[in-house]
Amino acid sequence: MYFSERFNIDYSSEFDWFNPILERDTLLFVDPFLMFCDEIGEWRQAHDEIVGYFQSAFIILAKSQLKPSHQYYRRTLSLMEFPEPREFRLGFASKTADGAGSGPELAKRVVAAMAEAVRRGLEDIRHFEELGVLVKGINRDRISDITCNLLKPRLIKYTQDICHSLGVPMSMVKIKHSRYDEMRQRWMTAEHLVPVDPENGKPILLVPKRFLRELPTLSSDSWGDFLDTSLRDDLNMRISEKVNKDDIIAVARKDPAALRSWIRQMEEQGSSPYDVDNDPQLYFKWQEVAKRVAAEEPISGPPGIESSTDLLDFAHKAVDNFRHWVEHKGGWRVFWKDEEPPKAIPEPNMQLLFLGVLDNYCKQAGVILDREVETGRGPVDFTFTSAGNIRILLEMKKLTHGQFWNGLRTQTPIYMESQQISHAIFLAVKDSETRPMQERWRKLDEEAEVVSAENACIIEIERVDILPKDSASKA
């Protein structure tokens, strides 16, 4: 359920704020660089606050003479610990809106990178994302987490203003890492008046949608792209299709002047947010689309599910409805970005849409649907559970996935064995019609029979063709 649905708001693209899904994190990230580029002075000031925080940490660290046993070094470590800001429902999360956060181990790496920067004469910082180029482990999720943590007091006020203007009820609730104690130089838990999800009592905080991206503007990935196109020959880097991440970090540490030059170039060039209103990658509108699919393709009320065969039949029917919507009602369009050449949306986003459709069907049938259930040997995509603990699993793979055959031949039987499940569906999503992919598509049933026989189980094949279709007139 979206925030707007929970509080009966008629959400419009004119709103400044992102409308999060409450039960599950959305795979978008707050990019502090977009605040730096923002035309509104309030948010440029927010970026300055972030830089000021790290600049103060640099000063404290320098006082430690870079000795890990020194009290100032330990103080810097505590300043670099950031809990998962669960209130925003953003970033990586496999199943729910709860996450792991940035703990002591990552703080150690951050401070080690800061110490290395000090040794090389880099005693100030223009963008804290520089540290993500200098230390392994500061990925897009961590950059977003750190930004949300450091700006949490400001974003609490932003959320309160929105709720006051829209009449959204709020409650006093404790929020971690929400007040900075200047005297103690540490973050504290404090109570704030914010909206709370009535289903679970968890606080909700909102962010401006114009600060969301798929990747931060300044990151080791974008630095690596810059090296690919601009500096590889100058730096005698090994030519390869993909620069090793450790190499990228090593170059940044070895040549901080080049890193700063790249940052200045990016400042001049600017950056753009993700197109939240259109959501071309289907990061969060999958839930909206899924509800429409379930309404357009209702599943017939199943009889009582009393056996694994009944449950398997129900799952096949659900897939059949989904396939009909995709292949015959134009549903394939949501799987492709509007660009040339056409490019499919990421597989996890396809799975989220499928999850949303299945979830609607399962609620009607009294079937429990779980996604990414940990089997002990890795997470299975979907598990159906009915009365009497009858279960089947479903694996979903794009035809072009690099581990496609491994998913059928190895992963699915292992998951079935670990969960003591005898029936499974392997769902292949056709996203290419090259000759090798056509051959792969053709061999599916034959391969499933072999794998089933070898593992004394039943794996059945389902297919969904998401390739763009000609219009009826052209056909």
Side-chain angles (χ1 to χ4, degrees):
M1 180 172 287
Y2 296 97
F3 175 83
S4 60
E5 290 180 292
R6 182 72 81 203
F7 295 102
N8 299 312
I9 300 167
D10 185 13
Y11 187 79
S12 164
S13 61
E14 300 301 316
F15 287 144
D16 178 66
W17 47 277
F18 175 65
N19 188 21
I21 295 172
L22 298 183
E23 302 88 352
R24 196 175 287 269
D25 285 354
T26 296
L27 200 64
L28 290 173
F29 306 87
V30 176
D31 182 6
F33 189 82
L34 291 174
M35 296 180 183
F36 170 81
C37 300
D38 199 57
E39 295 179 356
I40 299 177
E42 173 190 357
W43 293 105
R44 289 201 302 271
Q45 185 181 29
H47 183 271
D48 291 342
E49 288 177 13
I50 297 173
V51 173
Y53 182 86
F54 276 90
Q55 189 61 43
S56 298
F58 263 102
I59 293 171
I60 293 171
L61 179 63
K63 290 179 181 179
S64 73
Q65 300 177 340
L66 308 184
K67 296 179 179 178
S69 60
H70 199 285
Q71 62 174 333
Y72 285 128
Y73 194 101
R74 295 197 301 271
R75 175 65 56 82
T76 310
L77 282 171
S78 67
L79 291 173
M80 291 301 111
E81 284 193 35
F82 301 99
E84 174 78 18
R86 301 175 181 177
E87 304 86 5
F88 298 94
R89 276 68 170 179
L90 295 168
F92 292 114
S94 62
K95 187 177 179 183
T96 67
D98 292 335
S102 305
E105 287 305 315
L106 183 58
K108 288 178 183 177
R109 293 200 295 271
V110 173
V111 175
M114 293 170 66
E116 180 68 19
V118 170
R119 291 188 188 98
R120 295 186 179 277
L122 188 69
E123 295 188 15
D124 64 342
I125 191 167
R126 288 180 60 82
H127 302 272
F128 88 88
E129 306 98 283
E130 290 179 65
L131 296 176
V133 183
L134 294 169
V135 60
K136 197 171 184 177
I138 305 182
N139 56 20
R140 52 182 170 166
D141 201 33
R142 299 312 182 208
I143 289 173
S144 181
D145 285 356
I146 291 170
T147 303
C148 288
N149 270 291
L150 294 180
L151 298 183
K152 197 174 283 186
R154 184 182 289 267
L155 291 168
I156 288 172
K157 174 64 165 56
Y158 174 80
T159 303
Q160 290 171 338
D161 290 345
I162 290 167
C163 291
H164 283 308
S165 67
L166 296 173
V168 175
M170 293 183 283
S171 304
M172 291 296 293
V173 61
K174 290 182 178 180
I175 299 180
K176 292 181 180 179
H177 209 272
S178 61
R179 183 176 68 82
Y180 187 67
D181 189 316
E182 292 283 355
M183 182 175 294
R184 298 182 183 180
Q185 291 186 319
R186 66 179 61 179
W187 285 92
M188 312 290 289
T189 295
E191 282 195 339
H192 300 273
L193 187 66
V194 295
V196 174
D197 186 346
E199 291 293 313
N200 53 34
K202 294 179 180 179
I204 307 164
L205 294 180
L206 305 173
V207 299
K209 61 188 177 185
R210 68 182 183 280
F211 299 144
L212 298 179
R213 289 187 98 240
E214 297 173 86
L215 289 171
T217 305
L218 302 180
S219 67
S220 57
D221 290 321
S222 52
W223 165 247
D225 292 340
F226 174 68
L227 293 179
D228 258 351
T229 58
S230 304
L231 292 176
R232 294 177 66 158
D233 292 338
D234 293 342
L235 296 171
N236 296 318
M237 294 189 68
R238 176 174 53 84
I239 300 297
S240 64
E241 290 185 2
K242 187 174 183 181
V243 181
N244 182 277
K245 188 128 186 174
D246 291 334
D247 292 339
I248 292 172
I249 293 171
V251 171
R253 290 183 173 183
K254 184 178 180 180
D255 196 342
L259 178 64
R260 280 295 169 88
S261 175
W262 167 67
I263 290 173
R264 286 192 296 270
Q265 178 178 317
M266 296 299 289
E267 289 176 347
E268 294 172 3
Q269 178 180 316
S271 184
S272 300
Y274 179 71
D275 186 357
V276 168
D277 292 324
N278 290 317
D279 191 21
Q281 296 274 50
L282 211 68
Y283 282 117
F284 66 96
K285 285 193 174 181
W286 59 268
Q287 194 173 80
E288 177 184 319
V289 175
K291 291 177 181 177
R292 188 169 75 243
V293 176
E296 292 177 2
E297 296 286 338
I299 195 166
S300 56
I305 296 175
E306 300 178 352
S307 68
S308 57
T309 301
D310 293 339
L311 190 57
L312 195 63
D313 289 343
F314 165 78
H316 280 300
K317 177 61 177 174
V319 174
D320 188 54
N321 280 30
F322 182 70
R323 177 173 49 249
H324 186 264
W325 173 77
V326 171
E327 298 180 2
H328 300 286
K329 291 194 173 181
W332 56 266
R333 291 183 176 88
V334 304
F335 293 94
W336 298 91
K337 294 191 290 183
D338 187 16
E339 60 182 44
E340 288 296 335
K343 185 176 181 181
I345 64 174
E347 184 178 81
N349 299 3
M350 295 181 184
Q351 292 176 342
L352 281 172
L353 172 57
F354 188 53
L355 166 74
V357 175
L358 290 181
D359 195 44
N360 279 277
Y361 292 153
C362 287
K363 286 177 181 176
Q364 297 173 32
V367 172
I368 298 171
L369 176 69
D370 289 311
R371 181 176 183 239
E372 293 190 344
V373 176
E374 181 56 53
T375 65
R377 302 290 297 275
V380 64
D381 287 338
F382 303 98
T383 303
F384 299 84
T385 306
S386 188
N389 202 31
I390 302 168
R391 289 179 297 166
I392 65 169
L393 64 82
L394 186 150
E395 275 289 300
M396 179 178 180
K397 282 274 190 295
K398 284 199 307 184
L399 199 62
T400 55
H401 195 290
Q403 296 294 315
F404 182 82
W405 284 128
N406 184 61
L408 174 59
R409 295 166 178 163
T410 305
Q411 288 180 344
T412 300
I414 287 176
Y415 297 158
M416 295 175 73
E417 181 182 11
S418 62
Q419 293 288 291
Q420 297 182 323
I421 294 174
S422 59
H423 291 73
I425 294 174
F426 187 83
L427 173 60
V429 178
K430 189 177 184 180
D431 61 329
S432 170
E433 53 183 355
T434 62
R435 185 170 295 178
M437 293 303 105
Q438 289 177 1
E439 179 66 11
R440 182 174 287 185
W441 189 252
R442 186 188 64 79
K443 290 177 61 178
L444 271 167
D445 293 294
E446 177 185 337
E447 287 291 328
E449 288 182 11
V450 172
V451 173
S452 297
E454 290 177 347
N455 294 276
C457 63
I458 299 173
I459 301 175
E460 299 184 6
I461 297 297
E462 283 282 6
R463 297 172 170 87
V464 174
D465 182 353
I466 66 168
L467 288 172
K469 312 293 187 292
D470 287 335
S471 65
S473 59
K474 288 184 179 180

